[in-house]
Amino acid sequence: MAVASGLSNAAAALDVVERPRRPRRTRENVEARIRAAARQLFADRGYAGTTTREIAHTADVSETLLFRYYGDKAQLFDAVILTPFKQVIQEFTSAQKVAGNPDAPDLYLLVYDLLTQNRDLLSALIVGRPPAEALAGVGQFTFEPFFEAGLAQLEAEYRMRGHEPDFDIAAGIRLSFGMMASAVLMQEWLFPNGGGDRDHLIEVIEVMVTRALRTGRRDKPSIDACGENGP
C-alpha cells in the first residue's frame, strides 16, 4: 500500500512538473486585455449592462487586478470609451482647421470614416450611455466640437455668398450628424440586402445635406383642394 501511494505521489509530482505553465504576463499585456474586453462589452451591452466581473472574466484576469489598474467601472469606461473618442473629436477639429486647404479631407468623408472606424465607441456612447452621476468623477463627453466645427464652416460659406440662412442651421448640423451616426450604427438594418457601401452612402449623404443646409429653404409647390399640385 505504501509503495502504491508513493508511486501515486510521484506521478502527481511529475504531472505538476510537466504541465505547461501560462507565460507571465506583462502589465502592458494585462491592461490591453482588460481594455479590449471592456470596449467590446460596453459596446455590446452598454454601461449599465456590463459588470467588472464580466470584463475580468472576458479578459481572463482577476477582478482584483482590474480594480488595481483602473479603480472602478467609471474610470475604466473613461479610459476605453470616453478618452479614445475625445481623441477622435480632436482629430476631427484639427482637420477642420485646414478646411481651406485643397488637400484637406472632405467633411462628410471625414465624419463618416471617423464614426465607422470607431463604431464600437459610438455604440457605447449612444446606445449604452451611462447616467451622468455614474461618471461624476471622470467628467462628461459631448459631441459639441463636431457641431461647432460644422456650424462654423457653414456660417463661413453663407458669409462668402453674402446670404443669410433662412432656417435654423445649428439644428440642421445636429440632425445631419445624427443621420450619419444612424447610418453607421444601423447599416445592417437599413441595408440588409447590401447596397450600403461607403462611397455610395457618403455621396448620397453629401447631396442630401448640401441641398438642405447650403441651398436654404425652398418654396413648396401649392396643393389644391384635391391634393394635386397647383399651376
Side-chain angles (χ1 to χ4, degrees), residues 39-61:
R39 183 162 168 160
Q40 172 193 332
L41 290 172
F42 282 138
D44 292 344
R45 305 181 186 181
Y47 183 86
T50 302
T51 67
T52 52
R53 178 176 297 179
E54 291 170 329
I55 295 172
H57 175 75
T58 302
D60 192 23
V61 302

Side-chain angles (χ1 to χ4, degrees), residues 189-203:
W189 290 272
L190 294 173
F191 303 97
N193 299 316
D197 65 277
R198 167 182 172 274
D199 293 340
H200 178 64
L201 290 183
I202 291 173
E203 180 182 4

Side-chain angles (χ1 to χ4, degrees), residues 108-188:
Y108 306 99
L109 177 64
L110 177 63
V111 173
Y112 187 85
D113 281 349
L114 285 176
L115 296 180
T116 301
Q117 293 161 10
N118 297 275
R119 182 178 177 179
D120 53 347
L121 298 179
L122 184 65
S123 177
L125 285 168
I126 295 179
V127 179
R129 186 180 182 90
E133 57 271 17
L135 301 179
V138 297
Q140 289 293 311
F141 172 83
T142 175
F143 286 108
E144 288 303 317
F146 271 110
F147 306 145
E148 291 169 359
L151 181 60
Q153 178 178 335
L154 192 57
E155 288 176 335
E157 292 179 11
Y158 270 96
R159 285 195 299 270
M160 288 179 61
R161 297 202 307 264
H163 295 162
E164 286 290 333
D166 57 357
F167 68 104
D168 187 353
I169 59 174
I173 288 288
R174 293 169 186 269
L175 291 172
S176 299
F177 176 85
M179 178 174 63
M180 283 188 278
S182 298
V184 170
L185 290 176
M186 302 177 63
Q187 184 169 355
E188 290 81 2

